[in-house]
Short mmCIF file of all heavy atoms in Angstrom, two decimals:
data_model
loop_
_atom_site.label_atom_id
_atom_site.label_comp_id
_atom_site.label_asym_id
_atom_site.label_seq_id
_atom_site.Cartn_x
_atom_site.Cartn_y
_atom_site.Cartn_z
N LEU Q 160 -27.68 15.24 12.93
CA LEU Q 160 -28.12 14.49 11.76
C LEU Q 160 -28.31 13.03 12.12
O LEU Q 160 -27.41 12.22 12.04
CB LEU Q 160 -27.06 14.63 10.68
CG LEU Q 160 -27.39 14.10 9.31
CD1 LEU Q 160 -28.39 15.03 8.60
CD2 LEU Q 160 -26.15 13.94 8.44
N LEU Q 162 -28.71 9.38 11.96
CA LEU Q 162 -28.54 8.38 10.86
C LEU Q 162 -29.32 7.12 11.15
O LEU Q 162 -29.35 6.19 10.33
CB LEU Q 162 -27.05 8.05 10.68
CG LEU Q 162 -26.10 9.17 10.47
CD1 LEU Q 162 -24.69 8.64 10.26
CD2 LEU Q 162 -26.49 9.98 9.24
N ILE Q 179 -29.87 5.25 6.18
CA ILE Q 179 -29.13 5.33 4.90
C ILE Q 179 -29.29 4.06 4.09
O ILE Q 179 -29.68 4.05 2.93
CB ILE Q 179 -27.67 5.67 5.12
CG1 ILE Q 179 -27.56 7.00 5.89
CG2 ILE Q 179 -26.90 5.73 3.80
CD1 ILE Q 179 -26.10 7.40 6.22
N LEU Q 219 -29.28 17.14 4.36
CA LEU Q 219 -28.07 16.97 3.56
C LEU Q 219 -28.09 17.82 2.31
O LEU Q 219 -27.08 18.31 1.88
CB LEU Q 219 -27.89 15.51 3.17
CG LEU Q 219 -27.34 14.59 4.25
CD1 LEU Q 219 -27.26 13.15 3.76
CD2 LEU Q 219 -25.96 15.04 4.71
N PHE Q 222 -26.30 21.00 2.20
CA PHE Q 222 -24.84 21.03 2.17
C PHE Q 222 -24.24 20.40 0.91
O PHE Q 222 -23.07 20.45 0.67
CB PHE Q 222 -24.23 20.33 3.40
CG PHE Q 222 -24.78 20.87 4.67
CD1 PHE Q 222 -25.69 20.13 5.44
CD2 PHE Q 222 -24.41 22.12 5.11
CE1 PHE Q 222 -26.19 20.63 6.60
CE2 PHE Q 222 -24.93 22.66 6.27
CZ PHE Q 222 -25.84 21.91 7.04
N ASP Q 223 -25.11 19.74 0.15
CA ASP Q 223 -24.54 18.97 -0.96
C ASP Q 223 -25.44 19.17 -2.20
O ASP Q 223 -26.65 18.79 -2.20
CB ASP Q 223 -24.52 17.45 -0.59
CG ASP Q 223 -23.81 16.68 -1.61
OD1 ASP Q 223 -24.41 16.33 -2.65
OD2 ASP Q 223 -22.61 16.34 -1.36
N GLU Q 224 -24.87 19.77 -3.24
CA GLU Q 224 -25.68 20.08 -4.41
C GLU Q 224 -26.26 18.85 -5.12
O GLU Q 224 -27.37 18.85 -5.60
CB GLU Q 224 -24.82 20.84 -5.40
CG GLU Q 224 -24.79 22.34 -5.07
CD GLU Q 224 -24.07 23.12 -6.10
OE1 GLU Q 224 -23.98 22.66 -7.27
OE2 GLU Q 224 -23.59 24.23 -5.72
N GLY Q 225 -25.40 17.76 -5.13
CA GLY Q 225 -25.87 16.50 -5.79
C GLY Q 225 -27.12 16.00 -5.13
O GLY Q 225 -28.12 15.64 -5.82
N VAL Q 226 -27.11 15.95 -3.79
CA VAL Q 226 -28.26 15.46 -3.07
C VAL Q 226 -29.43 16.42 -3.26
O VAL Q 226 -30.57 16.02 -3.49
CB VAL Q 226 -27.92 15.32 -1.54
CG1 VAL Q 226 -29.17 14.93 -0.77
CG2 VAL Q 226 -26.83 14.29 -1.34
N LYS Q 229 -31.13 15.83 -6.72
CA LYS Q 229 -31.95 14.63 -6.74
C LYS Q 229 -33.16 14.72 -5.82
O LYS Q 229 -34.23 14.25 -6.17
CB LYS Q 229 -31.08 13.43 -6.36
CG LYS Q 229 -30.04 13.15 -7.39
CD LYS Q 229 -29.50 11.79 -7.26
CE LYS Q 229 -28.78 11.42 -8.58
NZ LYS Q 229 -27.89 10.30 -8.45
N VAL Q 236 -31.52 8.77 -4.23
CA VAL Q 236 -30.12 9.10 -3.91
C VAL Q 236 -29.48 7.81 -3.42
O VAL Q 236 -30.00 7.12 -2.55
CB VAL Q 236 -30.08 10.16 -2.76
CG1 VAL Q 236 -28.67 10.67 -2.55
CG2 VAL Q 236 -31.02 11.31 -3.05
N SER Q 237 -28.30 7.46 -4.00
CA SER Q 237 -27.69 6.20 -3.65
C SER Q 237 -27.02 6.24 -2.29
O SER Q 237 -26.73 7.34 -1.76
CB SER Q 237 -26.66 5.83 -4.73
OG SER Q 237 -25.50 6.61 -4.55
N VAL Q 238 -26.80 5.02 -1.74
CA VAL Q 238 -26.15 4.92 -0.43
C VAL Q 238 -24.80 5.65 -0.46
O VAL Q 238 -24.48 6.41 0.45
CB VAL Q 238 -26.01 3.46 -0.05
CG1 VAL Q 238 -25.07 3.26 1.13
CG2 VAL Q 238 -27.35 2.83 0.21
N ASP Q 239 -24.01 5.43 -1.49
CA ASP Q 239 -22.69 6.06 -1.60
C ASP Q 239 -22.77 7.56 -1.64
O ASP Q 239 -21.94 8.26 -1.05
CB ASP Q 239 -21.89 5.52 -2.76
CG ASP Q 239 -21.32 4.18 -2.49
OD1 ASP Q 239 -21.24 3.81 -1.28
OD2 ASP Q 239 -21.02 3.43 -3.46
N GLU Q 240 -23.77 8.06 -2.37
CA GLU Q 240 -23.92 9.55 -2.43
C GLU Q 240 -24.25 10.11 -1.05
O GLU Q 240 -23.76 11.15 -0.65
CB GLU Q 240 -25.06 9.93 -3.40
CG GLU Q 240 -24.62 9.85 -4.85
CD GLU Q 240 -25.82 9.97 -5.80
OE1 GLU Q 240 -26.84 9.28 -5.61
OE2 GLU Q 240 -25.73 10.82 -6.69
N ILE Q 241 -25.08 9.38 -0.30
CA ILE Q 241 -25.43 9.85 1.04
C ILE Q 241 -24.18 9.80 1.94
O ILE Q 241 -23.89 10.77 2.64
CB ILE Q 241 -26.58 9.04 1.68
CG1 ILE Q 241 -27.80 9.11 0.78
CG2 ILE Q 241 -26.96 9.61 3.05
CD1 ILE Q 241 -29.01 8.31 1.26
N TYR Q 242 -23.43 8.68 1.87
CA TYR Q 242 -22.20 8.58 2.66
C TYR Q 242 -21.33 9.78 2.43
O TYR Q 242 -20.77 10.41 3.34
CB TYR Q 242 -21.40 7.31 2.32
CG TYR Q 242 -21.97 6.05 2.85
CD1 TYR Q 242 -21.65 4.81 2.29
CD2 TYR Q 242 -22.79 6.04 4.00
CE1 TYR Q 242 -22.09 3.63 2.79
CE2 TYR Q 242 -23.27 4.88 4.49
CZ TYR Q 242 -22.93 3.64 3.89
OH TYR Q 242 -23.38 2.49 4.41
N ARG Q 243 -21.10 10.07 1.12
CA ARG Q 243 -20.19 11.16 0.72
C ARG Q 243 -20.69 12.50 1.27
O ARG Q 243 -19.93 13.31 1.82
CB ARG Q 243 -20.05 11.23 -0.79
CG ARG Q 243 -18.94 10.41 -1.33
CD ARG Q 243 -18.49 10.84 -2.70
NE ARG Q 243 -19.55 10.80 -3.65
CZ ARG Q 243 -19.91 9.74 -4.37
NH1 ARG Q 243 -19.26 8.60 -4.20
NH2 ARG Q 243 -20.90 9.76 -5.22
N ALA Q 244 -22.01 12.71 1.16
CA ALA Q 244 -22.57 13.97 1.62
C ALA Q 244 -22.45 14.10 3.12
O ALA Q 244 -22.14 15.17 3.67
CB ALA Q 244 -24.03 14.07 1.17
N VAL Q 245 -22.70 13.02 3.84
CA VAL Q 245 -22.60 13.07 5.30
C VAL Q 245 -21.14 13.36 5.71
O VAL Q 245 -20.89 14.18 6.58
CB VAL Q 245 -23.07 11.73 5.97
CG1 VAL Q 245 -22.85 11.74 7.47
CG2 VAL Q 245 -24.52 11.43 5.64
N ARG Q 246 -20.23 12.70 5.04
CA ARG Q 246 -18.81 12.93 5.36
C ARG Q 246 -18.41 14.37 5.10
O ARG Q 246 -17.79 15.01 5.95
CB ARG Q 246 -17.95 11.98 4.51
CG ARG Q 246 -16.46 12.13 4.74
CD ARG Q 246 -15.67 11.09 3.98
NE ARG Q 246 -14.26 11.49 3.83
CZ ARG Q 246 -13.35 11.34 4.76
NH1 ARG Q 246 -13.65 10.81 5.91
NH2 ARG Q 246 -12.12 11.78 4.60
N LYS Q 247 -18.84 14.85 3.95
CA LYS Q 247 -18.50 16.26 3.60
C LYS Q 247 -19.05 17.24 4.65
O LYS Q 247 -18.31 18.14 5.11
CB LYS Q 247 -19.12 16.57 2.21
CG LYS Q 247 -18.40 17.62 1.43
CD LYS Q 247 -18.90 17.64 0.00
CE LYS Q 247 -19.92 18.73 -0.17
NZ LYS Q 247 -20.54 18.73 -1.52
N ALA Q 248 -20.30 17.05 4.99
CA ALA Q 248 -20.90 17.99 5.97
C ALA Q 248 -20.26 17.83 7.34
O ALA Q 248 -20.11 18.82 8.06
CB ALA Q 248 -22.41 17.72 6.04
N THR Q 249 -19.87 16.59 7.72
CA THR Q 249 -19.23 16.40 8.99
C THR Q 249 -17.87 17.06 9.04
O THR Q 249 -17.51 17.75 10.00
CB THR Q 249 -19.03 14.89 9.30
OG1 THR Q 249 -20.30 14.22 9.05
CG2 THR Q 249 -18.59 14.58 10.67
N LEU Q 250 -17.10 16.90 7.98
CA LEU Q 250 -15.74 17.46 7.95
C LEU Q 250 -15.78 18.98 7.95
O LEU Q 250 -14.92 19.69 8.45
CB LEU Q 250 -14.92 16.96 6.75
CG LEU Q 250 -14.61 15.44 6.73
CD1 LEU Q 250 -13.51 15.14 5.74
CD2 LEU Q 250 -14.26 14.90 8.08
N ALA Q 251 -16.86 19.51 7.32
CA ALA Q 251 -16.96 20.99 7.26
C ALA Q 251 -17.60 21.54 8.53
O ALA Q 251 -17.86 22.71 8.63
CB ALA Q 251 -17.82 21.37 6.05
N VAL Q 254 -22.61 19.55 10.21
CA VAL Q 254 -23.57 18.69 10.92
C VAL Q 254 -22.84 17.67 11.81
O VAL Q 254 -21.64 17.46 11.60
CB VAL Q 254 -24.50 17.89 9.95
CG1 VAL Q 254 -25.28 18.81 9.04
CG2 VAL Q 254 -23.70 16.88 9.16
N PRO Q 256 -23.38 13.79 12.71
CA PRO Q 256 -24.13 12.55 12.61
C PRO Q 256 -24.38 11.94 13.96
O PRO Q 256 -23.50 11.98 14.82
CB PRO Q 256 -23.18 11.61 11.81
CG PRO Q 256 -22.19 12.54 11.15
CD PRO Q 256 -22.09 13.70 12.05
N ARG Q 277 -16.13 5.85 8.32
CA ARG Q 277 -16.80 6.42 7.16
C ARG Q 277 -16.78 7.95 7.15
O ARG Q 277 -16.67 8.56 6.11
CB ARG Q 277 -18.26 5.92 7.19
CG ARG Q 277 -18.84 5.65 5.84
CD ARG Q 277 -20.18 4.96 6.00
NE ARG Q 277 -20.07 3.51 5.89
CZ ARG Q 277 -20.90 2.68 6.51
NH1 ARG Q 277 -21.85 3.13 7.34
NH2 ARG Q 277 -20.74 1.37 6.37
N TYR Q 278 -17.00 8.54 8.29
CA TYR Q 278 -17.22 9.99 8.30
C TYR Q 278 -16.12 10.85 8.97
O TYR Q 278 -15.98 12.01 8.63
CB TYR Q 278 -18.54 10.33 9.03
CG TYR Q 278 -19.70 9.52 8.49
CD1 TYR Q 278 -20.43 8.71 9.34
CD2 TYR Q 278 -20.04 9.59 7.18
CE1 TYR Q 278 -21.51 7.94 8.84
CE2 TYR Q 278 -21.08 8.84 6.67
CZ TYR Q 278 -21.83 8.01 7.53
OH TYR Q 278 -22.83 7.26 7.02
N LEU Q 279 -15.40 10.30 9.90
CA LEU Q 279 -14.39 11.16 10.57
C LEU Q 279 -13.14 11.24 9.69
O LEU Q 279 -12.86 10.37 8.89
CB LEU Q 279 -14.08 10.63 11.96
CG LEU Q 279 -15.21 10.77 12.97
CD1 LEU Q 279 -14.82 10.24 14.37
CD2 LEU Q 279 -15.66 12.21 13.11
#
Side-chain angles (χ1 to χ4, degrees):
L160 187 74
L162 305 182
I179 301 178
L219 282 176
F222 306 108
D223 189 281
E224 277 186 23
V226 174
K229 292 200 164 162
V236 189
S237 74
V238 166
D239 282 341
E240 282 171 310
I241 304 179
Y242 283 159
R243 271 200 301 275
V245 175
R246 180 176 160 81
K247 207 168 97 186
T249 309
L250 295 197
V254 301
R277 216 170 264 151
Y278 309 122
L279 290 181

